[in-house]
Amino acid sequence: MEGLKNKNAIVCAGSTGIGRGVISVLADYGVNVTTFSRHGEKLESLKEDILRQTGNEINIVSADLSKMEDLKRVVESAHSHFGKIDFLIMNYGDPKVEPFINLSEFDWDYSIDMLLKSTIRMANMSAKDMIVSNSGKIIFITSMTTKNPIEDFSISNSLRSGIVALGKTLSIELGKYNINVNSISQGYFYTERLKNIFERKAKISGDKIENIEEQFRKEIPLGRFGKPEEVGNLVAFLCSGLSSYITGTNISVDGGVIKSI
């Protein structure tokens, strides 16, 4: 795909799930990837898998998305391995799923650091490289909760919506530097996160997990759950030169779940 080979990307929270799918696609197109998570063993496994699948060696860093000092280390490592940052893909850990009344001050503080503040911090550090280069791509991978709030998802509903609003603001402010900023609102993708949601629903309802899965599947017009690489394909397109006139958007990748225009 146009304009990807030998570009340098940071993909946040990349050891599993959506992040892993994004990395596999970008690495296959020849992008130099730096990624991080708190799970060292999963990162090492990811590095081996990507090398075997694509022939490209990614740069991995053990770091916590919620901690400023860790994020600085990630950026420094990306610079030392590959030079400037061309693409920033903000992917995240899983915010707590609980009724609003059951959430503690700690739950909110941690999630604000992990979701919103990490986005502010990484966008700030990465945009400085992009401004100097007079080019760049910033992508926030959020959730369909930004378009359709879900019960018990008050953390995701509110903070991810704030991230999308920040993305729109950055697209306006950074456009003069030829920097594109977009968001992706993903639907039901078959990851550990979704499996955990099925298990929680089954425990609360007393129903079988298989029945819960089928209930979710019936909500999807395409009749199936998404694959992480399908988010990766959209990320690759948004990072490529083919998307040069797309900025400030929030694109749904959900198999048709969101019905609003």
Side-chain angles (χ1 to χ4, degrees):
M1 199 174 291
E2 179 185 327
L4 293 181
K5 190 172 179 60
N6 295 323
K7 293 291 187 179
N8 307 319
I10 293 179
V11 180
C12 302
S15 62
T16 61
I18 298 298
R20 190 182 184 104
V22 169
I23 291 168
S24 68
V25 174
L26 291 181
D28 199 40
Y29 279 115
V31 177
N32 301 317
V33 176
T34 294
T35 191
F36 65 97
S37 82
R38 294 173 298 170
H39 307 291
E41 289 184 5
K42 290 181 179 179
L43 284 172
E44 291 291 348
S45 174
L46 169 68
K47 186 174 183 176
E48 292 174 6
D49 288 347
I50 296 300
L51 181 61
R52 183 172 59 253
Q53 292 167 14
T54 71
N56 288 334
E57 186 168 354
I58 64 172
N59 174 35
I60 58 173
V61 184
S62 180
D64 188 328
L65 192 59
S66 68
K67 297 179 179 178
M68 178 61 176
E69 291 306 314
D70 282 18
L71 298 182
K72 287 181 179 178
R73 284 196 297 104
V74 170
V75 172
E76 289 169 359
S77 181
H79 283 157
S80 65
H81 276 77
F82 302 125
K84 65 183 176 69
I85 299 164
D86 299 299
F87 311 143
L88 169 66
I89 294 88
M90 289 300 306
N91 185 52
Y92 307 89
D94 301 330
K96 196 169 186 178
V97 178
E98 282 287 338
F100 172 78
I101 202 68
N102 293 346
L103 294 169
S104 68
E105 191 81 5
F106 172 82
D107 294 330
W108 281 102
D109 285 345
Y110 174 74
S111 296
I112 288 169
D113 283 342
M114 190 265 288
L115 289 166
L116 187 56
K117 282 192 175 179
S118 69
T119 305
I120 294 167
R121 291 161 173 166
M122 290 300 294
N124 182 278
M125 289 187 283
S126 300
K128 289 175 180 175
D129 277 13
M130 298 176 190
I131 288 169
V132 171
S133 301
N134 196 45
S135 68
K137 310 281 188 173
I138 298 174
I139 301 166
F140 302 152
I141 300 177
T142 63
S143 164
M144 66 183 186
T145 59
T146 63
K147 300 187 177 187
N148 183 42
I150 300 174
E151 183 182 10
D152 296 343
F153 279 66
S154 56
I155 289 177
S156 183
N157 296 341
S158 53
L159 297 185
R160 292 189 194 277
S161 295
I163 289 168
V164 171
L166 175 62
K168 185 66 174 179
T169 305
L170 293 180
S171 74
I172 297 167
E173 295 187 7
L174 299 178
K176 61 187 175 184
Y177 301 109
N178 200 32
I179 299 170
N180 300 65
V181 186
N182 293 289
S183 300
I184 295 173
S185 286
Q186 67 181 48
Y188 297 130
F189 282 75
Y190 207 75
T191 63
E192 287 299 319
R193 164 74 163 171
L194 188 59
K195 292 176 187 177
N196 290 337
I197 291 171
F198 293 155
E199 290 172 1
R200 179 178 181 274
K201 291 277 188 182
K203 185 177 181 180
I204 291 172
S205 66
D207 203 349
K208 294 181 180 179
I209 290 179
E210 293 81 7
N211 294 336
I212 301 295
E213 283 195 27
E214 185 58 25
Q215 290 170 20
F216 274 70
R217 192 179 288 108
K218 286 180 178 178
E219 294 181 34
I220 307 170
L222 288 183
R224 66 174 178 85
F225 299 113
K227 302 173 184 177
E229 290 76 16
E230 291 176 299
V231 176
N233 291 334
L234 177 56
V235 168
F237 169 72
L238 290 175
C239 286
S240 78
L242 299 176
S243 68
S244 58
Y245 205 55
I246 299 174
T247 195
T249 63
N250 181 22
I251 302 172
S252 295
V253 183
D254 61 9
V257 171
I258 299 301
K259 307 303 190 295
S260 58
I261 296 173

